Amino acid sequence: MWRRVASLSSSISSSFLAQTASRLNTWESLTTGIAQQAKGVIAPKEKTPFITFVLGGPGSGKGTQCIKIVETFGFAHLSAGDLLRREIASKSADGAMILNTIKEGKIVPSQVTVKLIQKEMELSDNHKFLIDGFPRTEENRVSFEQILSEWQSQIGVEPNVVLFFDCPEEEMVKRVLNRNEGRVDDNLETIKKRLTVFQALSLPVINYYSEKGKLYTIKAIGTEDEIFEQVRPIFAAFEQTVG
Ligand SMILES: Nc1ncnc2c1ncn2[C@@H]1O[C@H](COP(=O)(O)OP(=O)(O)OP(=O)(O)O)[C@@H](O)[C@H]1O
Ligand SMILES: O=c1ccn([C@@H]2O[C@H](COP(=O)(O)O)[C@@H](O)[C@H]2O)c(=O)[nH]1
Ligand SMILES: [Mg+2]
């Protein structure tokens, strides 16, 4: 379980925190850290988080390619849409609001989505994250950067890689209508709204990362395997340094 050192402050004394923080140059595993502290040994987890945002329109193939990246490169896959659908299924306090927002093809408030992603990252034993379908708006991006800035001394405020699956609209519509997974937003009316939201709110995020030199654009047409052959070299290039 990965935890930010700062998030331990409510349960652990500040002297323990200061001691722990000084020994660790990155995130600490809470359970391992406490057990090892009891033995008088704290072994640092030296792997720095590696964050990839996976962006693209509805049905562009983000989730499909994430599965292949996980299989090949051992990332943890965090789909923002799946986390939100899990909230609906669990009938959480935000569930009804999230359901209505998804049906309308709109964007759930940043604080809700960021909290879910942050929790998943903190619970993960992995240090390599694929964050699928997020950030969807500039506001999402800034909210997440605020979280990362808490870890700034360790990892900086930006993702390491941003993938953009660039797919023609007619192909995206065809794929979504054929998806057949029972999603409430897989209908023509909602898809049209999602495409409008993508153009208006998500493309600016993609342009932002392009200007930052972080963007890797994938031509998302062809077979799933053909598309993955564009994705593979991006992660292969980082493999030595990321672990
Ligand atoms: N290269 C491809 N060719 C044909 N169909 C594909 C291809 N890649 C994915 N699909 C299919 O298209 C549908 C949408 O793919 P996927 O769920 O991966 O997209 P997505 O970008 O995650 O969409 P969303 O944003 O709606 O979650 C799925 O049914 C998937 O099996
Ligand atoms: O960061 C996010 C991600 C998703 N949503 C909402 O969920 C649906 C479905 O998302 P997928 O990534 O396509 O599974 C999306 O249309 C949004 O309504 C969100 O608000 N914020
Ligand atoms: Mg998806």
Side-chain angles (χ1 to χ4, degrees):
M1 180 194 295
W2 288 99
R3 289 257 180 191
R4 287 169 300 131
V5 170
S7 73
L8 307 181
S9 55
S10 59
S11 55
I12 298 180
S13 76
S14 57
S15 63
F16 173 77
L17 251 187
Q19 187 190 23
T20 306
S22 71
R23 289 186 182 187
L24 303 182
N25 64 0
T26 184
W27 293 357
E28 168 65 321
S29 159
L30 176 63
T31 46
T32 308
I34 290 173
Q36 290 184 325
Q37 207 224 10
K39 287 188 220 152
V41 185
I42 294 181
K45 283 229 178 198
E46 287 175 357
K47 290 183 173 173
T48 301
F50 185 94
I51 295 175
T52 300
F53 288 152
V54 183
L55 305 179
S60 59
K62 302 179 293 296
T64 302
Q65 293 298 320
C66 280
I67 292 169
K68 291 178 176 290
I69 298 166
V70 167
E71 284 168 2
T72 311
F73 295 104
F75 276 66
H77 178 201
L78 276 58
S79 158
D82 286 350
L83 293 175
L84 293 169
R85 284 183 283 273
R86 197 169 77 187
E87 287 299 288
I88 298 170
S90 71
K91 299 189 176 2
S92 79
D94 290 322
M97 176 277 291
I98 294 171
L99 176 60
N100 286 332
T101 309
I102 289 180
K103 276 184 182 167
E104 285 300 311
K106 293 183 179 163
I107 305 300
V108 171
S110 293
Q111 71 270 19
V112 173
T113 315
V114 167
K115 204 165 74 183
L116 294 172
I117 294 171
Q118 184 185 359
K119 195 169 145 205
E120 288 299 302
M121 290 177 75
E122 291 182 1
L123 287 172
S124 178
D125 285 327
N126 209 326
H127 70 292
K128 301 187 288 189
F129 298 101
L130 292 175
I131 302 184
D132 167 2
F134 179 93
R136 275 204 149 67
T137 65
E138 281 287 276
E139 198 220 343
N140 275 176
R141 177 181 70 73
V142 171
S143 298
F144 194 75
E145 282 182 358
Q146 276 164 3
I147 299 297
L148 290 187
S149 71
E150 292 179 29
W151 305 325
Q152 187 173 12
S153 59
Q154 290 95 6
I155 61 174
V157 298
E158 288 192 355
N160 301 83
V161 166
V162 180
L163 295 185
F164 168 39
F165 288 93
D166 188 11
C167 191
E169 281 199 2
E170 57 274 23
E171 176 69 15
M172 292 195 277
V173 171
K174 198 171 80 186
R175 288 183 191 173
V176 167
L177 291 178
N178 286 332
R179 182 155 43 191
N180 215 11
E181 288 177 4
R183 279 177 51 162
V184 293
D185 52 349
D186 281 355
N187 58 78
L188 194 54
E189 194 187 338
T190 310
I191 294 162
K192 284 181 183 164
K193 291 177 182 166
R194 295 177 71 199
L195 288 169
T196 304
V197 166
F198 176 71
Q199 292 284 338
L201 302 181
S202 304
L203 274 182
V205 179
I206 288 161
N207 291 335
Y208 173 87
Y209 286 120
S210 174
E211 282 165 20
K212 290 270 177 186
K214 299 266 173 178
L215 194 74
Y216 294 81
T217 300
I218 308 295
K219 288 193 180 65
I221 37 176
T223 66
E224 294 174 13
D225 286 344
E226 283 166 353
I227 294 166
F228 187 64
E229 289 313 314
Q230 297 176 61
V231 173
R232 186 196 298 276
I234 298 167
F235 291 98
F238 284 102
E239 219 177 6
Q240 293 296 321
T241 46
V242 178

